[in-house]
Amino acid sequence: MNMQGLEAILARLRAAEAAAGRAPGSVTLVAVSKVQPEERVRAVLLAGQRVFGENRVQEAQGRWTPLRSEFEGVRLHLIGPLQTNKARAAVELFDAIHTLDRPRLAETLARLAQERGASPEVFAQVNTGREPQKAGCLPEDADALVAQARSLDLPLVGLMCIPPEGEDPVPHFRLLREIAERNGLSGLSMGMSGDFEAAVAEGATHVRVGSAIFGERT
Ligand SMILES: *Cc1c(COP(=O)(O)O)cnc(C)c1O
């Protein structure tokens, strides 16, 4: 079995970077703390991790508002679908939003960013597996969404995908990279506990790892 826990995952990530000829530290580890008990999250904070991923705005607010006053330098990434009526809270809480998936959300995020004079970094989510139950724009709609986000001056830094469960993720990573390259985007949010090393080999800049760091979610 592969080694688990923060130190083991960081070691595996550094090895995957080296194997792919990437600079050490060039891939950001987003530790996905959704649903995890607070003592596990605290242990990972105490071990030095500062970048965390959450999939629900309210849950993240409740957890991180107090933890942020205790631990400096925490950066939060929203990795779950974002409803328009939660966009304001999301823009206030998160440093990055990985789940821009529709024109209307782009408009809302842009308006909120203008009001605040600041915006989280944004990734557009692409539903590479065309799964009806999954968020993300269809691959053929990605170029238009990217163009729209740019025309609205959103700080779009890359693309995100969640490959279908039980399928080889590599073709999905490659498709995402191809769409990013033709749009001049350098960020690639892809790879989770079971496949982050393969994602790094395909060019991931952000991997989102939960259970392999914190243990299984209950
Ligand atoms: C839960 C989640 C992850 C982390 O999954 P693990 O398999 O526990 O690493 C990554 N990305 C997204 C979008 C998630 O919802």
Side-chain angles (χ1 to χ4, degrees):
M1 202 177 115
N2 279 323
M3 294 291 288
Q4 312 264 303
L6 179 66
E7 276 187 40
I9 295 307
L10 281 171
R12 284 170 55 189
L13 183 55
R14 298 293 92 95
E17 287 170 340
R22 317 265 306 270
S26 57
V27 180
T28 299
L29 177 62
V30 180
V32 178
S33 50
K34 64 180 185 196
V35 202
Q36 294 286 353
E38 173 154 331
E39 72 262 20
R40 292 187 186 169
V41 179
R42 282 183 173 273
V44 168
L45 277 161
L46 287 168
Q49 176 69 20
R50 286 297 179 270
V51 184
F52 291 86
E54 291 281 351
N55 67 335
R56 287 169 180 275
V57 177
Q58 266 154 338
E59 188 186 310
Q61 256 175 341
R63 157 169 287 163
W64 287 102
T65 305
L67 282 177
R68 263 183 161 163
S69 62
E70 213 178 311
F71 294 90
E72 269 177 46
V74 168
R75 295 187 60 80
L76 296 179
H77 291 232
L78 178 66
I79 60 168
L82 179 55
Q83 292 168 259
T84 311
N85 64 0
K86 304 238 172 77
R88 181 179 297 276
V91 162
E92 284 167 7
L93 184 68
F94 289 98
D95 301 287
I97 292 176
H98 290 227
T99 50
L100 169 65
D101 63 354
R102 57 195 191 278
R104 168 127 160 71
L105 181 59
E107 284 165 17
T108 303
L109 290 175
R111 179 172 45 76
L112 293 167
Q114 298 244 303
E115 276 177 37
R116 283 171 61 79
S119 172
E121 291 190 334
V122 176
F123 294 77
Q125 181 179 355
V126 183
N127 187 353
T128 58
R130 320 181 71 85
E131 295 172 280
Q133 81 285 9
K134 215 166 251 176
C137 69
L138 289 173
E140 62 268 30
D141 297 332
D143 295 359
L145 186 60
V146 167
Q148 185 212 11
R150 285 183 166 146
S151 74
L152 291 167
D153 279 334
L154 276 177
L156 188 74
V157 297
L159 302 179
M160 179 272 220
C161 75
I162 311 169
E165 230 169 285
E167 259 184 47
D168 179 3
V170 168
H172 297 273
F173 297 155
R174 290 192 177 153
L175 174 58
L176 196 71
R177 178 179 181 159
E178 198 182 292
I179 299 170
E181 279 177 353
R182 73 170 181 245
N183 282 285
L185 287 166
S186 56
L188 286 171
S189 168
M190 57 190 199
M192 314 191 348
S193 289
D195 57 18
F196 71 88
E197 286 139 322
V200 170
E202 298 301 332
T205 59
H206 294 68
V207 293
R208 311 176 308 265
V209 181
S211 46
I213 293 175
F214 294 100
E216 289 306 321
R217 286 180 292 275
T218 46

